[in-house]
Amino acid sequence: MSSDLESSPEIQDIRKRVEDFITEFIYPNEKALSRGGDEAWSVEQSLEQAEAWYLMQSIQQKAKERGLWALGLPKEIGGGGLGFMPYVFVNEIVGRSEYAIVGLGTHSAQDATMLNLYGSPEQKKRWLLPLVNGDVYPCFSMTEPEVSGADPTGLRTRAVQDGDEWVINGHKWFISGANRASFATVMTVTDPDAPPYERFSMIVVPTDTPGFEIVRVVPVMGEIAGGHCEVRYNDVRVPLTNLLGPRGQAFKIAQKRLGPGRIYHCMRWLGQAQRAFELMCERAISRHAFGGPLADKQTIQNWIADSAAEIQAARLLTLDAARKIDRGDEARVEISLIKFWGAKVLHDVIDRAIQVHGALGVSGDTPLERMYRHARFARIYDGPDEVHRMVVSRRILREFKEGRKFDFARGVASRKFKQEL
């Protein structure tokens, strides 16, 4: 992996094209898209919501015309064909607005990756190609209200074989996009007597299947376009052929979704943090108080310096983890590091930007108040901060207990050593 990958003409060109697209089509339409509410991209809605839906449709069409659609997915399934590392750098730009994620087809990347890697030819024809094209939306059905999301081995949803069908019963929530999804990929117990990590399978369930019940859209702080739903599976019957990948391998399949996905999330957080940083600096220069611009005040200067250092540290941590994944390393410690550190940086930079804006910062006249509310999710989804900290410390301490150092340069244990006291 070339160390100057980021400055390659290919990367710089695609980042510039994506940034220009967001500036031209996303930023000017953010307020109109936000009025669409939680069902902004479903056509069966109020007039105002429908206007937002058609607006997003037109943005997506422009992205396709400019060759910017679903950039991280293979060309043979309708994507842009970017490799993993180039797509990592693109996500940093896409993250500047949550509407760019849908507008550029980035939202389907994780579910499409699972289907592409593990789907049967029939599954790919029915769901993958329409998904990548933006004709249908997916949802990933894993989290349950009765079980800690930090310990998915306790999930209770069950799928029982009955003839040539699976019969699924269970209760899920925070299933993002279920209210507009055409299908759900359900993580469910299929082999209750197997070892914990082999009890679960992935099964694809069309959302129009009898027994698939959306109980409600869960009210969530600041979420304006996700539709985080509570869902019940009431004797839902689907063919055995809807099994995604090998039986009992749900955790392996989920890791293929979550590992690179966490890299993308953290790069998008950096895009958000950088946008907030720019707004903070512009405000500090233009706003005058107590005889001069805010930029002359030492406290403001400290906030800008701290934010710059934290963003750069988070960026380098994330790129280090990405490069290790690109080489085939699972990078478990590095991914956990960027998850909790990136979430903190995202929150703190936006918080400082709001403070510099004063009352304007908590109004709807800037994107900061929306960004701040969304940033609070980052410490919970894809594993709470506390779990990721635990993963990091346990793995490092295990190496020391076994007489090895943790090599920060390589991210692995070094040779055995004897600590000289």
Side-chain angles (χ1 to χ4, degrees):
M1 179 56 60
S2 172
S3 61
D4 63 350
L5 172 64
E6 183 177 2
S7 60
S8 71
E10 177 195 21
I11 296 298
Q12 292 302 321
D13 176 68
I14 195 69
R15 281 167 59 98
K16 179 66 164 56
R17 289 170 58 204
V18 171
E19 186 172 6
D20 289 347
F21 183 89
I22 293 172
T23 300
E24 184 176 354
F25 296 110
I26 300 295
Y27 292 156
N29 291 307
E30 282 182 322
K31 288 187 177 180
L33 291 168
S34 73
R35 288 194 290 270
D38 286 339
E39 299 183 17
W41 302 310
S42 171
V43 73
E44 296 178 1
Q45 49 194 312
S46 69
L47 177 61
E48 191 172 58
Q49 290 173 327
E51 289 174 351
W53 185 83
Y54 285 115
L55 175 59
M56 180 55 75
Q57 290 282 300
S58 69
I59 291 172
Q60 291 177 334
Q61 183 58 38
K62 291 181 175 69
K64 293 175 182 178
E65 292 168 359
R66 297 195 178 192
L68 298 175
W69 180 258
L71 288 170
L73 293 172
K75 286 187 177 181
E76 57 267 26
I77 62 172
L82 278 187
F84 173 69
M85 284 304 299
Y87 190 53
V88 166
F89 288 110
V90 167
N91 268 274
E92 186 176 17
I93 305 300
V94 173
R96 295 175 68 88
S97 173
E98 72 265 36
Y99 299 109
I101 296 172
V102 177
L104 291 161
T106 304
H107 65 290
S108 68
Q110 290 173 279
D111 292 272
T113 296
M114 287 195 304
L115 275 169
N116 192 41
L117 289 174
Y118 296 101
S120 66
E122 180 185 351
Q123 290 171 344
K124 291 180 180 181
K125 181 179 179 181
R126 182 175 178 184
W127 291 300
L128 177 60
L129 299 182
L131 170 61
V132 176
N133 194 49
D135 299 329
V136 301
Y137 286 83
C139 66
F140 185 60
S141 190
M142 178 175 172
T143 308
E144 298 181 2
E146 295 85 7
V147 178
S148 169
D151 181 16
T153 61
L155 294 174
R156 300 176 182 177
T157 298
R158 294 281 300 273
V160 177
Q161 185 174 344
D162 182 20
D164 59 356
E165 292 182 319
W166 294 108
V167 182
I168 305 172
N169 284 279
H171 186 198
K172 303 283 189 179
W173 75 340
F174 289 102
I175 310 305
S176 302
N179 55 333
R180 63 177 182 269
S182 294
F183 68 92
T185 305
V186 186
M187 189 162 175
T188 178
V189 176
T190 52
D191 300 275
D193 298 325
Y197 287 96
E198 297 176 13
R199 294 173 186 167
F200 301 89
S201 300
M202 296 287 193
I203 298 176
V204 180
V205 175
T207 55
D208 60 358
T209 305
F212 182 91
E213 175 193 1
I214 295 179
V215 179
R216 59 175 177 145
V217 176
V218 181
V220 174
M221 178 178 66
E223 184 55 65
I224 55 178
H228 302 293
C229 297
E230 180 181 357
V231 177
R232 287 193 180 275
Y233 294 83
N234 304 308
D235 289 327
V236 172
R237 288 180 172 267
V238 297
L240 294 181
T241 54
N242 282 27
L243 181 72
L244 179 64
R247 181 168 175 166
Q249 296 299 305
F251 278 95
K252 179 180 178 180
I253 297 171
Q255 190 57 40
K256 291 291 185 180
R257 181 184 193 273
L258 293 173
R262 285 174 177 143
I263 298 288
Y264 301 150
H265 274 146
C266 289
M267 290 303 287
R268 291 198 290 264
W269 292 346
L270 286 165
Q272 282 276 289
Q274 289 168 18
R275 186 180 181 189
F277 180 77
E278 292 166 9
L279 290 168
M280 175 168 57
C281 292
E282 291 165 1
R283 179 69 171 178
I285 292 170
S286 63
R287 183 67 166 178
H288 286 246
F290 302 104
L294 292 178
D296 289 347
K297 310 303 188 265
Q298 188 177 43
T299 295
I300 305 298
Q301 294 170 353
N302 287 339
W303 288 346
I304 290 171
D306 289 346
S307 297
E310 291 166 5
I311 290 172
Q312 182 70 340
R315 192 172 193 275
L316 293 174
L317 276 171
T318 305
L319 292 177
D320 178 60
R323 288 185 173 112
K324 286 180 172 125
I325 286 179
D326 196 46
R327 294 197 299 261
D329 192 324
E330 289 187 349
R332 293 290 181 88
V333 169
E334 289 81 2
I335 286 177
S336 285
L337 280 172
I338 66 173
K339 173 60 175 63
F340 72 77
W341 177 252
K344 181 180 187 304
V345 170
L346 174 67
H347 172 274
D348 290 353
V349 173
I350 296 172
D351 184 70
R352 294 177 191 131
I354 289 175
Q355 198 71 10
V356 171
H357 281 76
L360 178 63
V362 296
S363 76
D365 291 345
T366 78
L368 290 169
E369 61 87 20
R370 182 180 69 250
M371 292 163 65
Y372 184 80
R373 288 180 283 131
H374 286 198
R376 186 59 182 84
F377 293 120
R379 290 176 52 199
I380 297 174
Y381 62 68
D382 275 359
D385 285 2
E386 294 78 11
V387 170
H388 286 286
R389 283 188 167 91
M390 177 185 69
V391 168
V392 170
S393 62
R394 283 184 175 178
R395 285 181 175 266
I396 292 175
L397 289 172
R398 184 175 65 197
E399 301 301 326
F400 277 80
K401 289 176 181 177
E402 295 177 359
R404 296 186 295 269
K405 291 182 181 178
F406 185 83
D407 187 337
F408 283 92
R410 298 170 58 214
V412 296
S414 67
R415 60 182 174 80
K416 282 202 170 187
F417 76 105
K418 181 177 181 180
Q419 182 70 47
E420 297 294 337
L421 299 176

